[in-house]
């Protein structure tokens, strides 16, 4: 069986970096990937794909990528479900990235002359974003892939 995915797209917002209780870095971000065709109005459409990356790569993504950055990644598709705040079962499909490539030099990205150090935020803490459609990650040590 094979579960591999390769994507190239732009981040829709700055990555969110958090840490598990054991100090393992995890970053989440959404990648807008253009479809290879246009709709009936002649417009390009995109798919918005939730992505997760772990450890050192997560810290690099959080420090060097931001909203609008062009990135390529390879990884695997993962599905999970949990009970939402309203008590209903929520199903999520996301890409767990093994490798992330930064596809633009930092000099071509505005206001990115040096990496921004992000504050450590524990996993499960509420992100300070206006977009609330992504639920916090609730991960036990038994769920971690290492």
């Amino acid at each position: 069986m094979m579960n591999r995915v390769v994507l190239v797209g732009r981040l829709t917002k700055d990555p969110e970096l958090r840490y598990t209780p054991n100090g393992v870095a995890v970053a989440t971000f959404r990648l807008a990937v253009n479809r290879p065709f246009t709709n009936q109005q002649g417009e390009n459409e995109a798919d918005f794909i939730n992505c997760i990356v772990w450890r050192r790569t997560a810290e690099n993504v959080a420090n060097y990528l931001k909203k609008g950055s062009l990135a390529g990644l390879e990884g695997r598709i993962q599905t999970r479900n949990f009970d939402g705040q309203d008590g209903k079962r929520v199903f999520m499909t996301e890409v767990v990235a093994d490798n992330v490539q930064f596809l633009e030099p930092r000099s071509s990205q505005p206001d990115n002359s040096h990496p921004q150090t992000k504050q450590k935020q524990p996993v499960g803490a509420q992100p300070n974003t206006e977009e609330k459609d992504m639920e916090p990650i609730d991960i036990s040590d038994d769920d971690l892939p290492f």
Side-chain angles (χ1 to χ4, degrees):
M1 291 184 243
M2 187 182 333
N3 179 357
R4 297 302 298 164
V5 63
V6 177
L7 301 171
V8 174
R10 294 196 179 273
L11 277 69
T12 62
K13 63 179 184 173
D14 292 347
E16 294 178 14
L17 178 64
R18 293 176 286 210
Y19 290 83
T20 67
N22 289 338
V24 178
V26 56
T28 57
F29 58 95
R30 185 170 293 141
L31 204 62
V33 179
N34 287 334
R35 294 181 178 170
F37 52 85
T38 58
N39 62 18
Q40 291 179 346
Q41 292 75 34
E43 301 166 341
N44 287 326
E45 293 182 352
D47 292 300
F48 299 89
I49 301 168
N50 294 327
C51 303
I52 299 175
V53 65
W54 293 88
R55 299 181 195 80
R56 178 55 126 180
T57 307
E59 292 174 332
N60 287 337
V61 162
N63 285 329
Y64 294 101
L65 295 181
K66 64 179 187 166
K67 179 180 179 177
S69 296
L70 184 64
L73 64 83
E74 67 176 307
R76 63 183 172 82
I77 294 177
Q78 169 179 285
T79 59
R80 61 187 174 102
N81 62 73
F82 53 90
D83 291 327
Q85 293 178 347
D86 58 1
K88 294 182 181 178
R89 178 70 69 196
V90 176
F91 294 90
M92 282 192 81
T93 301
E94 55 210 353
V95 172
V96 179
D98 300 322
N99 184 18
V100 177
Q101 297 291 318
F102 307 162
L103 299 178
E104 292 178 315
R106 282 191 288 161
S107 60
S108 70
Q109 298 177 17
D111 299 321
N112 200 16
S113 59
H114 63 283
Q116 298 174 356
T117 305
K118 308 252 177 166
Q119 186 177 12
K120 289 187 179 186
Q121 182 178 8
V123 171
Q126 289 294 328
N128 343 338
T129 63
E130 295 176 10
E131 245 180 73
K132 298 294 182 190
D133 56 341
M134 289 182 64
E135 294 290 327
I137 297 175
D138 184 18
I139 299 174
S140 72
D141 288 343
D142 295 337
D143 294 333
L144 296 176
F146 46 88

